[in-house]
Amino acid sequence: MTSRRYGAVIVAVMLALSTAPASAAPHPSLNWQDCGNGAQCAVLRVPVDWRDPGGPSTGIDVVRVTAKDPARRTGTVVANLGAGNSTTTIVGPRPAPLQTWLDELTERLDVVVFDPRGLGRSTGGTQIVCPRPPASILGLVRHQDEAGWQAQVGENAAYDAGCRQAAGPVFAGLDSWQTAHDLDAIRAALGEARLRYFGNSYGTTYGQAYAELFGDRLERLYLDGVADHTRPRLADWLADYALTQERQLLRFRDWCARAASCALHGRDAANAWDELVATAQRAPVPAPGAGPGRVVTAGDLFAGALVGMTPPRWPALAQAIAEAATGDASDFLTVLRFPPDGPTGSVQNAILCHDFMPQTPDYREFLRIERRLKALAPRFGWIEGRFELGRCAGVPGDPAYPPRPLSAPKAPAALVTIGELDNNTANLGAAHVAGQFPRASTVWHGDGHAAYLLGNRCLRKLGNAYLFDGTLPAPGTFCPGELAPPVD
């Protein structure tokens, strides 16, 4: 690891603090105001540091959609929908799956959605805007030499410095240990003796922290698209991602073999990928559709495939590979791409680094990790090391809530749902988390990331029954996939 490792005494103190809840702040309250689209909004004031409840405070955005019929109301579910801002999706125009989710739950529950500190709505004074974005998440994927590493480190360090300046004292509280305490303050402000919580994607990190810190205050805990915050060793965490992505390549191959509409139907799509990478390693592939003189390197292929390996993009990935095999790799630059960064940044990336990678390797140390990843997942999955480290290389390690094995003996029976096609939050990591809950009901399903929110009907039925009544699925329950590209 880098020279930013902590001394043994500091590590011991941090771990001790992370296992015990801080003392309570004075009586939090919520002043609800109508804010459109049938929602009510409030800002909850919380301490910047729950270890010092009387110190500086900050605000977090909270939005509520009340139960349709107060006579049938049986309680409240508090939810976080994933990385970034969640409340805007409730107040603003709602995608159809989100609307049906709210319609179903508000038959019997109030639904309360919150944003973690620093990630609130732009109109509420709770959003921290960094003066510049982090380095491109694909920087280390595209530029695989030491110069590329050092450039990534420099850009991320500049992003972090800007965020610290913009956030001021609040920056010291940007981690999930603090957010779990905020979540308990929301519970108290709602007047709920125990918490019903649903976490999707990054929201599962807050659920894991809450279960460990406040397990006896949990009534129900449903986690979908689980981010594994329980691997202390970075190499092990990356290995789960690498193996998940390697298996995803084979699932893409199998879908292509079954789907007549796949541009690689009749061929082994995984072999077609291998052949294309080998071609680009010999010489870049022309990309005329991306502009005069543009070419695609092997790094560019992996960057595009990281977008295309998500199941909804499989048809586009197959088309891109087929066209590149004929000498035109334009789609890897024009179709399979992440949205471009804006001129400013969010503190979400800093929070992720504080939670998952407070200590990052230097370049030489990373190369040793990468050799292991290439041995585990030689065709595609090894690139996850570069993808994940691209977020955090160069970001200082404070504040920090380092990953640690889960210890939640007081938590109730939790529901954890895991997608066979989920390569966003590695499904192997999700299974690792589920196995550490003392009383977890684990349901695998045939879809990808966020399938409960996106409307898998089987998951909706099971998840809603659990949130309503605490009913857990029968052991061995499996939900078929409904959201992946069709097979003709």
Side-chain angles (χ1 to χ4, degrees), residues 392-483:
C392 297
V395 175
D398 62 295
Y401 179 50
R404 54 178 294 118
L406 182 69
S407 176
K410 297 180 181 179
L415 175 61
V416 180
T417 51
I418 305 172
E420 289 182 332
L421 304 182
D422 190 353
N423 63 333
N424 184 312
T425 47
N427 52 36
L428 292 178
H432 181 249
V433 173
Q436 294 173 75
F437 278 103
R439 291 174 294 279
S441 176
T442 302
V443 174
W444 283 80
H445 60 86
D447 277 319
H449 193 62
Y452 168 72
L453 279 181
L454 291 175
N456 178 295
R457 289 168 293 181
C458 174
L459 288 181
R460 283 284 182 88
K461 181 179 179 181
L462 297 179
N464 292 351
Y466 173 73
L467 293 173
F468 286 149
D469 304 316
T471 303
L472 288 167
T477 297
F478 177 85
C479 284
E482 300 177 9
L483 307 174

Side-chain angles (χ1 to χ4, degrees), residues 192-214:
E192 299 286 344
R194 297 170 71 200
L195 177 72
R196 292 187 218 195
Y197 181 71
F198 165 66
N200 175 70
S201 194
Y202 207 101
T204 65
T205 309
Y206 314 134
Q208 291 168 63
Y210 193 91
E212 186 159 41
L213 293 165
F214 303 104

Side-chain angles (χ1 to χ4, degrees), residues 158-384:
Y159 153 77
D160 180 82
C163 289
R164 288 172 186 267
Q165 183 176 16
V170 176
F171 193 87
L174 296 181
D175 64 50
S176 289
W177 187 91
Q178 303 285 357
T179 299
H181 285 77
D182 297 344
L183 186 52
D184 196 57
I186 294 172
R187 176 201 59 76
L190 292 169
E192 299 286 344
R194 297 170 71 200
L195 177 72
R196 292 187 218 195
Y197 181 71
F198 165 66
N200 175 70
S201 194
Y202 207 101
T204 65
T205 309
Y206 314 134
Q208 291 168 63
Y210 193 91
E212 186 159 41
L213 293 165
F214 303 104
D216 57 345
R217 301 179 195 175
L218 265 175
E219 182 179 17
R220 284 161 210 159
L221 177 67
Y222 176 22
L223 305 178
D224 182 45
V226 180
D228 185 359
H229 190 258
T230 72
R231 290 281 195 193
R233 293 184 68 247
L234 177 64
D236 295 337
W237 185 70
L238 293 174
D240 279 346
Y241 268 97
L243 288 169
T244 296
Q245 285 284 32
E246 195 81 350
R247 294 175 185 182
Q248 193 81 339
L249 173 65
L250 302 182
R251 294 185 186 279
F252 164 66
R253 176 201 64 190
D254 295 344
W255 167 79
C256 217
R258 297 192 306 269
S261 60
C262 173
L264 296 171
H265 185 68
R267 298 179 58 190
D268 184 307
N271 286 346
W273 163 256
D274 294 340
E275 292 164 6
L276 179 59
V277 170
T279 297
Q281 288 172 336
R282 289 191 294 270
V285 183
R294 294 293 300 276
V295 296
V296 165
T297 65
D300 294 327
L301 292 179
F302 279 96
L306 282 165
V307 178
M309 209 58 75
T310 302
R313 304 302 301 273
W314 282 351
L317 176 60
Q319 186 68 35
I321 294 172
E323 292 181 3
T326 68
D328 182 357
S330 302
D331 281 4
F332 280 93
L333 300 180
T334 60
V335 176
L336 298 175
R337 59 180 183 175
F338 286 98
D341 290 324
T344 59
S346 160
V347 293
Q348 175 63 75
N349 195 72
I351 295 170
L352 182 149
C353 297
H354 300 164
D355 285 343
F356 286 91
M357 288 178 274
Q359 299 180 62
T360 56
D362 65 22
Y363 180 65
R364 298 297 171 190
E365 290 164 342
F366 171 71
L367 291 182
R368 289 196 288 273
I369 294 173
E370 187 172 58
R371 285 194 289 272
R372 178 188 174 197
L373 297 180
K374 286 184 175 181
L376 288 172
R379 304 174 80 177
F380 179 69
W382 66 271
I383 202 65
E384 273 290 328

